[in-house]
Amino acid sequence: ESWASKVPYMVTPGNHEADCHDPACLTDSARREKLSNFTAYNNRFRMPSPESGGVLNMHYSFNYGSVHFISIDAETGYPGAAEETRYVLPCGGFGDQLTWLENDLILANQQRDVRPWILAAGHHPMYQGSSINTDFQAAMEDLFYKYGVDVYFSGHVHSYERDLPVYQGVPEADYTDAVATTHLLIGGAGNDEMHG
């Protein structure tokens, strides 16, 4: 897209970046190797992973103004992650994201006087409607809560949802002086399948 060369933006891995979705990839080993395990995604973009101790474009963080932004790998970066076992070709192996995340959050909290906001993003939602991604929750929610992640942005589901700040499935009464993370599901961009 022509706008992509003119407008700065940050990326986070999603299930469509995991591997080649063309049946030809299963029969053509050269194509399969070039397009498996987030290869195209990791070679197409350059995110600030080296500067933040992350791995490739899979997880990284950066500061901008009064916000510390974190991009996580919600596809393969924790025990039970969907994309490590879902596809025909293996996915994952991008380092210890959970240790990296905790260390990154420790540093971010040391700078709360300068950057009071911590925003995280990943492709899969932790909460969606009445369902909870329990593997994702078990891996990340305690870290989000302990270190005060203010908002978690996700996509994947082709709709919009904003939750009250929630921890362990229990929402807070409102957004005032919230302790838990607010979850925003914003999965409708560029998609005509919007549901309710």
Side-chain angles (χ1 to χ4, degrees):
E1 302 291 333
S2 61
W3 62 268
S5 65
K6 300 174 187 145
V7 177
Y9 60 96
M10 307 307 277
V11 297
T12 192
N15 57 300
H16 291 281
E17 289 73 47
D19 60 20
C20 179
H21 294 275
D22 186 328
C25 286
L26 296 177
T27 59
D28 182 341
S29 63
R31 181 181 288 182
R32 181 173 56 244
E33 293 303 315
K34 288 180 184 175
L35 298 173
S36 65
N37 200 19
F38 299 90
T39 303
Y41 166 78
N42 280 312
N43 285 290
R44 182 168 290 146
F45 304 103
R46 196 320 196 155
M47 296 295 110
S49 295
E51 295 84 352
S52 62
V55 174
L56 300 170
N57 294 322
M58 301 306 287
H59 52 270
Y60 61 88
S61 67
F62 63 97
N63 299 317
Y64 187 80
S66 62
V67 181
H68 181 71
F69 291 95
I70 301 169
S71 176
I72 61 169
D73 172 11
E75 304 303 314
T76 67
Y78 58 92
E83 305 313 321
E84 287 191 357
T85 57
R86 178 176 171 197
Y87 288 108
V88 175
L89 303 172
C91 291
F94 299 107
D96 184 354
Q97 177 179 234
L98 297 176
T99 298
W100 170 85
L101 177 60
E102 183 160 28
N103 290 334
D104 188 77
L105 287 167
I106 289 169
L107 291 173
N109 272 278
Q110 291 171 354
Q111 300 177 2
R112 282 278 181 149
D113 59 326
V114 177
R115 286 178 206 85
W117 295 96
I118 299 177
L119 307 181
H123 185 68
H124 280 275
M126 186 179 298
Y127 292 95
Q128 188 231 329
S130 61
S131 67
I132 301 172
N133 181 331
T134 55
D135 289 327
F136 187 28
Q137 180 189 41
M140 305 264 181
E141 189 170 40
D142 284 342
L143 291 173
F144 285 7
Y145 188 79
K146 180 178 180 180
Y147 296 105
V149 172
D150 297 291
V151 180
Y152 174 69
F153 295 91
S154 65
H156 188 66
V157 178
H158 298 160
S159 64
Y160 170 83
E161 179 177 310
R162 180 186 70 212
D163 296 331
L164 286 167
V166 60
Y167 176 66
Q168 297 296 310
V170 179
E172 295 187 19
D174 58 33
Y175 299 100
T176 307
D177 298 321
V179 177
T181 303
T182 298
H183 292 258
L184 288 173
L185 169 62
I186 307 170
N191 191 288
D192 59 3
E193 298 176 6
M194 292 296 286
H195 303 289

